[in-house]
Amino acid sequence: MQEQWAPYVHWPGVYYPRTPYRGTPAWRLPGQDVVGRLGQEARLAYARLVLHGLAGWEDARFASVWTSAGSQSSPDRERVPTPLGAFVREQPWLPVRGRDRAERFVRPADAWHCPPGLEEEPSYAPTVDHRLRHLLERGKAGDRLREMRLPTWDDPRDSDRLIAALGRLAAEGALGAEDRPAAQRADERAWKHLVRRPRPALPKGASLLAESGDRLISVPLSALDSGESDGDGDAGTALYVSGERDSLTALLVREMARPLLTLPGVSAKAAELLAAEHPTTVRHTDDLMFTVTVDGTRVDPAAMGEPLVQQLPWLTLAVGVLSDHLGRGPRASEAELSELTSLVRSVRLHRYHSWDIELDGRPVTLPGRLGGVLPLPDPKHPLVLAPAGEPGWPETTRIVMAVAELLGRREFGDRLRLAAHQLATRHADLRDPGQEELADALEVTVHQVEETSRRIDGAVGLVLERCRPSSSTCSARRRRTRCSCRRRATPGSSRLTSRSTPPSSRSPYPSSSPGPARPAIRTNCGATWASDSPS
């Protein structure tokens, strides 16, 4: 017990080093000096007893107050942890389990508490044994352990420690391929909590969770400070921060096998926070210089290529159907649908024989899975680069993925690619697949395709169709008149009171004379006319 308590009774800053001090009782736990030598079950039982005690023990059990005796002036008071407090804080008594499910005993500061209702419990992190977690919710136990530096997973107060812990787990090789999505989501949430703090800061000596190529890596902050070699012959390690995981720049950084930290929604704030301490080694992907040269000429989206819809006229309708019937959230309005399809029509396609790509002054080789197809975003002239050759369905499956990237609707990419594969298996015409083939490929009905087609063309056609006489008994049709909702009623003319156009040549009233009021006649198509005769 003396070894456990000794570090806390050394007071280098006391006011009266030669004056005796008197203290309040210093509590201890029976067996706290030998529990580390007991078996697993005995240590688990001991931990259970400690947690029961933490729920009800008074504050005086954890700290004693030592006061200088005989001082002429105001006495000096020093607050010192008791042997019990020193044991609970610094000794490995709390049982945890990690990926291997083997039970270990650690300090509270080295464990993680998973509260009830946590959406994603980290199987790769040392979390408090589930058999004892309920005891942390009783009385003061949870608050006591938090005072002893026990962190809580996904708690905003522990976001800085969670970021450092994930980096440490990656450095230790504790994160497998199956852990990657959950670990990155936890890291993103922690960063969102951290940057919202009034004065965000990371622990000294922390490591960050990042990705390089197709694997997770750990990037020590010290490596960013010292400019250590990254193994590729460059002057030092650079960390790239991106707000989009699937953006073109992030894809190129990943292909370069550079450390990439992806933080949707908070990438700018995170990059600013890191760059404050590491201005030369932290770069946001939006600030990178990206250049493409094709056939010896630097790409100019405004002057290159031809409209893609000339090669794939059905693509506008396909994108419209996905937005109209298969999109997430509320159905797109006609204005939104028109804006999206106009953007599809603005995409241009340029074919090339050779190209060179540089990112931040370094040459980049695109992955083979892109098949040489590269989307280049531009506010007015979005461009798709594709290898020179005869158009075909295999190339189209890659082009539609690039179009989805340009539209900012990556969720459409996989659906369009699968639709192109389906049309290819049916040997559909590349320029003009039938509506039935397109509907089957998009997994919608022909009626839905036709409905979207009408919405894209505008509402006028739909209104006219509704106004069209539907039977031979329609009075307007018998009188050989024409429906039109655009005509307005004017004095002296036949008055339109609903969707229709009255006969203009039979009115007995001149346009300058309003004439007597005329009763309305409703046709079978729903149009209501003012009759030509007072009867």
Side-chain angles (χ1 to χ4, degrees):
M1 185 185 71
Q2 182 178 355
E3 294 179 357
Q4 298 173 3
W5 194 36
Y8 296 96
V9 294
H10 177 61
W11 310 330
V14 295
Y15 290 154
Y16 311 112
R18 298 185 180 181
T19 302
Y21 279 70
R22 295 191 182 123
T24 58
W27 298 88
R28 67 180 179 86
L29 288 175
Q32 72 176 60
D33 53 338
V34 298
V35 66
R37 300 195 293 269
L38 301 179
Q40 293 278 5
E41 292 301 321
R43 296 185 72 178
L44 183 64
Y46 194 87
R48 186 178 284 109
L49 291 174
V50 172
L51 290 172
H52 276 289
L54 290 175
W57 286 333
E58 299 176 353
D59 292 346
R61 303 292 180 96
F62 300 93
S64 59
V65 179
W66 295 74
T67 308
S68 60
S71 301
Q72 297 296 325
S73 59
S74 60
D76 176 34
R77 289 185 175 85
E78 299 288 339
R79 188 176 178 86
V80 180
T82 63
L84 185 157
F87 172 82
V88 174
R89 177 183 288 270
E90 292 297 334
Q91 295 304 306
W93 63 272
L94 188 61
V96 297
R97 290 182 184 271
R99 171 177 306 287
D100 56 4
R101 308 308 299 163
E103 192 168 59
R104 298 183 292 119
F105 294 86
V106 300
R107 302 179 307 159
D110 298 329
W112 284 92
H113 171 47
C114 294
L118 188 66
E119 292 185 3
E120 288 185 320
E121 181 173 332
S123 60
Y124 46 83
T127 57
V128 176
D129 193 316
H130 69 279
R131 292 173 291 181
L132 302 184
R133 288 181 191 173
H134 66 284
L135 297 176
L136 274 67
E137 308 300 325
R138 298 179 55 187
K140 300 179 181 179
D143 294 335
R144 294 281 189 215
L145 285 175
R146 182 159 190 86
E147 294 173 3
M148 306 299 177
R149 302 192 66 243
L150 173 68
T152 301
W153 196 266
D154 267 352
D155 191 315
R157 296 171 295 178
D158 298 317
S159 56
D160 55 338
R161 297 178 64 185
L162 180 53
I163 291 171
L166 289 168
R168 184 172 58 253
L169 289 169
E172 296 171 351
L175 298 178
E178 67 278 11
D179 303 317
R180 179 171 181 169
Q184 288 183 312
R185 285 192 295 267
D187 193 52
E188 292 170 11
R189 292 192 297 268
W191 274 102
K192 288 179 181 179
H193 293 147
L194 178 66
V195 298
R196 290 171 184 165
R197 290 185 180 181
R199 292 175 183 155
L202 290 169
K204 294 295 183 182
S207 295
L208 305 181
L209 178 67
E211 55 184 312
S212 177
D214 57 355
R215 61 190 179 93
L216 293 179
I217 63 170
S218 176
V219 180
L221 293 179
S222 58
L224 300 177
D225 285 327
S226 61
E228 296 174 3
S229 174
D230 59 9
D232 290 335
D234 294 318
T237 298
L239 175 65
Y240 296 92
V241 184
S242 173
E244 299 180 61
R245 190 173 306 281
D246 298 323
S247 68
L248 176 62
T249 310
L251 173 65
L252 296 178
V253 171
R254 209 175 283 118
E255 289 300 320
M256 294 166 64
R258 304 290 175 178
L260 176 66
L261 177 61
T262 307
L263 301 173
V266 296
S267 60
K269 292 182 178 180
E272 182 181 358
L273 173 63
L274 292 169
E277 297 291 334
H278 319 283
T280 62
T281 52
V282 175
R283 304 287 306 278
H284 196 288
T285 54
D286 290 347
D287 301 329
L288 300 181
M289 181 65 69
F290 175 61
T291 58
V292 181
T293 303
V294 295
D295 299 329
T297 304
R298 188 165 179 174
V299 168
D300 180 5
M304 288 185 166
E306 298 178 351
L308 177 61
V309 293
Q310 291 183 3
Q311 176 177 316
L312 305 175
W314 54 270
L315 185 58
T316 304
L317 179 58
V319 171
V321 169
L322 292 180
S323 178
D324 199 17
H325 299 289
L326 301 177
R328 300 174 182 174
R331 187 179 186 183
S333 66
E334 289 189 0
E336 294 170 336
L337 195 61
S338 175
E339 181 180 359
L340 180 63
T341 53
S342 295
L343 184 56
V344 176
R345 295 187 183 103
S346 70
V347 176
R348 303 177 71 83
L349 175 67
H350 179 78
R351 298 190 176 276
Y352 65 91
H353 293 88
S354 64
W355 67 358
D356 294 296
I357 302 176
E358 289 187 355
L359 182 65
D360 219 21
R362 298 176 179 141
V364 183
T365 301
L366 284 186
R369 63 179 179 274
L370 294 182
V373 176
L374 182 67
L376 296 178
D378 186 87
K380 294 183 178 180
H381 309 284
L383 182 67
V384 174
L385 298 178
E390 287 296 324
W393 283 114
E395 177 194 57
T396 302
T397 60
R398 297 188 290 271
I399 289 178
V400 294
M401 294 287 289
V403 170
E405 173 78 22
L406 294 175
L407 298 178
R409 305 293 293 268
R410 295 188 184 91
E411 68 273 16
F412 289 175
D414 289 335
R415 287 183 175 273
L416 289 171
R417 179 173 58 84
L418 292 174
H421 276 299
Q422 183 74 7
L423 292 170
T425 59
R426 291 171 173 262
H427 304 287
D429 185 271
L430 183 62
R431 288 183 48 83
D432 187 22
Q435 281 198 350
E436 290 187 5
E437 293 176 318
L438 185 60
D440 288 342
L442 295 173
E443 298 181 346
V444 296
T445 64
V446 174
H447 173 73
Q448 288 175 310
V449 173
E450 293 173 345
E451 181 183 15
T452 300
S453 179
R454 288 194 297 267
R455 293 191 73 200
I456 292 175
D457 292 339
V460 175
L462 182 60
V463 171
L464 293 176
E465 181 177 289
R466 290 176 178 174
C467 293
R468 186 180 303 157
S470 58
S471 69
S472 60
T473 59
C474 172
S475 61
R477 187 172 182 178
R478 288 198 305 271
R479 296 167 65 180
R480 298 180 181 178
T481 59
R482 182 178 57 183
C483 291
S484 170
C485 64
R486 294 180 177 273
R487 179 165 179 171
R488 290 184 170 274
T490 57
S493 64
S494 300
R495 293 180 294 110
L496 177 65
T497 58
S498 181
R499 301 186 186 93
S500 62
T501 296
S504 57
S505 60
R506 295 190 179 185
S507 175
Y509 308 105
S511 59
S512 59
S513 172
R518 292 161 291 176
I521 300 175
R522 182 173 295 278
T523 68
N524 289 345
C525 66
T528 305
W529 312 99
S531 111
D532 289 340
S533 63
S535 61

